[in-house]
Amino acid sequence: MRRHPIALALLALLLGSALQPLPGLVDAVTGTVPAGADLVRPIAYTVLAPLSNVLDTLTFLSVQRAEALLVGWVLALALWGALRRGTLGQRIRRALLGPLTIVLLGVAAVLLPRPVPWLATSDPSVTVIDYHAHTAASHDGRPGWRAEDLAAWHAAQGFQASYVTDHNVIFNQPVDEPIRLLPGVEWSVYAQHVVALGAVAPIDRGVYNRDTRAMLGLFAELHRQGALGLASLPEYWEHHWGDLNDFVAAGVDGFEVVNCAPRAIGFPASLRAQVLQLAAQHDLLVVGASDNHGWGKVTCVWNLSSPSAHGYRANHVIARSIALAQGDWEGWTAAYTQPWLMLRSLSWSERSSWITWILVILIYRAVPRRAGDSAGIGILARSLELFKVRRPEG
Ligand SMILES: [Zn+2]
């Protein structure tokens, strides 16, 4: 116990967190576990669960919580490294190594290619769709992030279609493989982003940029074009929270209620409930948006769109529960609440993978090395051999 306190604490947390399980997916409207949708984890994802889960968890952070988590872990690991016994050089190296690992994990969450979970549905009549995503045509899109890259990103996660909504640049490329990309645009008008879906035409943004009243006129213009207009997060939350009834009166077709962008993912459940009530009253669409810009490998939300339904009932928003939790926890607690949320939402196969990795590392470290042996994988093989030999017979 004294020799491996971290491994044993981690094992205790892995088992303890299973007593307070969080479902992997939640219906963002009802708050219940969705009946017709499942998160499917590829085998490679599960085998690498400690890495997969940590990188997913780092992706689903609000800006404030990301900062708190970074500062908390960098300080804690630097201090721990500096205070452990050793020569001055060793202590400096350890004090730098921990924080460097955290930064590298952050970079890996954004850039590292890896297996990702995908959404499977049992209802063949629904379409798994994304209403809001970007390419390099957006000023803040990842350089070189083509429509084909975006389509592949979506396809890997179970999407069957996605609107492409670049900032003030109309998308109209015919892309059908691996999934169909649909035309749209995200207009920036008077501190609001309006996601326009369908065959949109250019507008003079100056007309809509004067004040809130002028901005709201965009919805009527979109209807003239035969397009739909959705109010995007975080803008209506940050800048137009008092104007939502006017949005409805002006003809808004719906509201984003989940958006995975770091500035929007912290939208609190209490405010989401108010928007849901307004949308239900007026039979408006409510949607989730990956708002992907080419960074990060996983979405926090999917939509199940039913062609037979209309308005409020036409779309089901299925979100990762850890993403929805971002708005419900104080930002400063992220250094410990984010890992705790991750552990609670592990499936049993992921939990088993974590435990296996910990045991493998424990065995590896527990076997005494012969003088001159380096810390290679050969030691592990030999130690497993050792276990075999030592097992009592009969
Ligand atoms: Zn966007």
Side-chain angles (χ1 to χ4, degrees), residues 122-206:
S122 53
D123 182 352
S125 75
V126 301
T127 303
V128 184
I129 191 167
D130 189 6
Y131 292 97
H132 178 172
H134 298 262
T135 70
S138 293
H139 64 87
D140 52 357
R142 179 175 176 175
W145 187 246
R146 301 164 306 155
E148 290 77 9
D149 300 320
L150 184 65
W153 182 89
H154 279 106
Q157 297 181 85
F159 286 99
Q160 296 159 338
S162 175
Y163 285 93
V164 181
T165 54
D166 281 310
H167 293 293
N168 307 312
V169 179
I170 292 171
F171 176 83
N172 219 340
Q173 293 174 39
V175 174
D176 280 317
E177 290 297 327
I179 63 158
R180 170 166 293 182
L181 296 183
L182 303 163
V185 63
E186 180 173 13
W187 294 122
S188 308
V189 278
Y190 200 68
Q192 180 58 44
H193 288 186
V194 174
V195 169
L197 308 176
V200 280
I203 57 164
D204 175 7
R205 277 197 297 138

Side-chain angles (χ1 to χ4, degrees), residues 174-346:
V175 174
D176 280 317
E177 290 297 327
I179 63 158
R180 170 166 293 182
L181 296 183
L182 303 163
V185 63
E186 180 173 13
W187 294 122
S188 308
V189 278
Y190 200 68
Q192 180 58 44
H193 288 186
V194 174
V195 169
L197 308 176
V200 280
I203 57 164
D204 175 7
R205 277 197 297 138
V207 172
Y208 307 98
N209 247 333
R210 283 196 308 273
D211 52 24
T212 300
R213 228 180 108 85
M215 179 269 285
L216 292 174
L218 178 56
F219 295 113
E221 170 58 22
L222 291 175
H223 295 164
R224 268 192 293 277
Q225 297 177 5
L228 297 181
L230 307 180
S232 182
L233 283 171
E235 289 78 18
Y236 76 75
W237 166 35
E238 285 180 354
H239 306 299
H240 292 287
W241 188 250
D243 306 327
L244 296 190
N245 283 311
D246 297 335
F247 276 62
V248 174
V252 69
D253 293 289
F255 292 95
E256 288 182 1
V257 293
V258 180
N259 179 307
C260 308
R263 277 179 53 231
I265 199 171
F267 187 51
S270 55
L271 301 189
R272 181 176 303 113
Q274 292 181 41
V275 176
L276 289 174
Q277 199 185 0
L278 185 68
Q281 263 168 23
H282 298 278
D283 197 26
L284 300 176
L285 200 57
V286 288
V287 307
S290 78
D291 205 356
N292 175 268
H293 283 69
W295 310 107
K297 298 295 164 190
V298 283
T299 184
C300 78
V301 73
W302 294 259
N303 297 279
L304 304 186
S305 169
S306 313
S308 55
H310 175 266
Y312 191 67
R313 305 209 166 277
N315 193 63
H316 290 273
V317 184
I318 311 296
R320 296 281 292 259
S321 58
I322 189 168
L324 288 190
Q326 295 306 297
D328 302 336
W329 291 86
E330 291 285 353
W332 64 269
T333 65
Y336 62 91
T337 52
Q338 193 75 358
W340 182 241
L341 287 167
M342 175 190 76
L343 292 174
R344 284 178 59 194
S345 55
L346 295 182

